[in-house]
Amino acid sequence: YPPERIRNFSIIAHVDHGKSTLADRLLELTGTIKKGHGQPQYLDKLQVERERGITVKAQTATMFYRRIINSSDIHNEEQSDYLLNLIDTPGHVDFSYEVSRSLAACQGALLVVDAAQGVQAQTVANFYLAFESNLTIIPVINKIDQPTADPDRVKAQLKSLFDIDAEDALLTSAKTGQGLEHVLPAVIERIPSPPGKCDLPLRMLLLDSYYDEYKGVICHVAVVDGTLRKGDKIASAATNQAYEALDVGIMHPELTPTGILFTGQVGYVVSGIRSTKEARVGDTLYHARSIVEPLPGFKPAKHMVFSGLYPADGSDFEALNHAIERLTCNDASVSITKESSTALGMGFRCGFLGLLHMDVFHQRLEQEYGARIISTIPTVPYIFEYSDGSKVQVQNPATLASNPGKRVTACWEPSVIATIIIPSEYVGPVITLCSERRGEQLEYSFIDSQRAFMKYRLPLREIVVDFYNELKSITSGYASFDYEDADYQTSDLVKLDILLNGQPVDAMATIVHQLKAQRIGRELVDRLKKFIDRQMFEITIQAAIGSKVIARETISAMRKNVLAKCYGGDVTRKKKLLEKQKEGKKRMKRVGSVDIPQEAFHELLKVS
Ligand code: GTP
């Protein structure tokens, strides 16, 4: 397939507008997967993806498509074969990093919009990602089978927001199959072929890498110029390491060896790389000893949320370390550094793209690697300036210096620009919510007679926990929301400590805005009281800023003797009870002298 017969495209959409279903249909239409293969959303491979019905990792599939142009004279029928690379992308805000990565290998994108819901916040965000990457955008109005579908309204929205002409939109139902026959012809006609040159030295963009038990690291690559053959010696521009291309092929949709990848193709290469750390996304791979200009890489992932991750049982540290190493092979967008806590022992400080990303990471650790973990209250990266003039980014509240000689003189917190689209009747409550969350309104307009469009600057801290749920609940689920990170803003921040029997628990410290400290302190103390069992002695729980206690609760002492119930001398019964007590203890963390159940840590995560 010469580049003229290749098209690389992506499907972008707001969450649930039907990307994955449309991808399935296109794979079926081209015979890449069998119809009714029994597993919808074929490209959503991960267990979390299936359970949550979301796409987390972008996946790529190559399809072969024979286009037949009928003319009135059947002997004059024209046939041409095309190689189409479809790159499925995640729709959730946390994963827009994956979206921009996928787009780097494409020349065009199908912008899928639900015919009933119309343009939503992520439609806007994804449109701009594609637009800024100079991609040809094909608007697809999907779900036209729904009784509430209103394609004309969506066309008007596309025109008013993106200046897209109504006649450019394709109307489809990925469910009934209606209109799908127009999609691939439009891809071929409207999306340009990849611009690379076959006769130039090889340059490949490393799109993604993951670890496979049997093959080692598998790299997804887009061949920008030149040709890659099995057995070629390739080198990385980022690490200068050289490797041999041991296996080369395409995703069809499973790995299918072809021994060769030509200019414009997207495929995989296995090259004996042992760790994905050596396979950096955005890296340029080329023929060893040839001299090429590296391709522009991707923007590195920005970590918006940090939290500590500890083994639920201290002795599992090595097992957790191993699990994290394996998982980060498949999710290089998490940053990991070792840390230790007086309360929880040895653990890790992890940086995530957002809260959903954090949840998904935790869930994968537990499901795929059987790890049992405790995670600490998520925090955003704040910047503090001290009286000695030093400035530090604080990713772990416990490390915020409390040394009196080193006073904090200024602090900054990261902010975001949020886009919110809502039916106009919900404008009031949304404005109230945003101002409670310390938001500043930047824009307020209407995209049609029923829908309002708002832009807010909000502190990142205020949206990472529970903002989206709250927004959904006050708008009966109709709000859509997306954000991009903006600059740091000066702020009035304090460190909130939690003390158990007078001892600060480092793993429970958080940084909060001065105005919210009282309420958050109270809520943390109340939640802890609910979850910590009475013990042999009285326990005081306090929230404090410096030496000032702002909330306090006590749990009175109780003498707990499991054997008291055990009259007489039944030894087996006694043993059983002692075993049971031991088991109960396992799920506890001893902090100072106080046993804290794991759930207490989970509960603290929910305080916003
Ligand atoms: P993410 O992967 O989470 O970003 O979602 P997505 O955009 O890939 O959406 P997905 O394909 O998972 O579809 C969401 C829901 O819409 C599923 O329940 C689909 O069955 C349904 N759906 C998709 N296309 C159509 C359609 O054309 N008509 C109707 N009625 N339902 C559809």
Side-chain angles (χ1 to χ4, degrees), residues 343-360:
L344 299 177
M346 294 276 283
F348 304 89
R349 177 80 3 200
C350 308
F352 301 98
L353 306 174
L355 268 202
L356 177 69
H357 183 210
M358 179 175 105
D359 278 354
V360 165

Side-chain angles (χ1 to χ4, degrees), residues 14-21 41 44 53-55 91 142-143 145-146 173-175:
H14 187 76
V15 101
D16 272 352
H17 282 194
K19 277 188 316 289
S20 305
T21 314
Q41 281 101 39
D44 288 351
I54 53 166
T55 306
N142 187 38
K143 305 202 189 182
D145 59 290
Q146 294 181 106
S173 164
K175 189 174 174 189

Side-chain angles (χ1 to χ4, degrees), residues 535-554:
Q535 290 168 32
M536 306 287 212
F537 43 83
E538 186 181 85
I539 303 166
T540 55
I541 310 169
Q542 295 166 309
I545 300 171
S547 55
K548 190 172 154 230
V549 173
I550 56 169
R552 179 197 161 100
E553 283 291 338
T554 38

Side-chain angles (χ1 to χ4, degrees), residues 110 124 155 169-170 174 193 216 250 268 350 418 479 486 527 549 605:
L110 300 175
V124 179
K155 283 181 186 169
L170 304 177
S193 49
I250 55 174
Y268 74 89
C350 308
R527 275 181 194 244
V549 173
L605 304 187

Side-chain angles (χ1 to χ4, degrees), residues 456-472:
Y456 266 89
R457 177 193 291 283
L458 284 152
L460 176 61
R461 166 70 177 83
E462 297 291 338
I463 61 157
V464 286
V465 183
D466 221 34
F467 179 79
Y468 188 48
N469 284 343
E470 184 78 25
L471 181 69
K472 280 269 185 198

Side-chain angles (χ1 to χ4, degrees), residues 46 77 105 316 390 410 426 498 552:
L46 303 175
E77 191 177 77
D316 287 347
S390 60
Y426 298 109
I498 296 292
R552 179 197 161 100

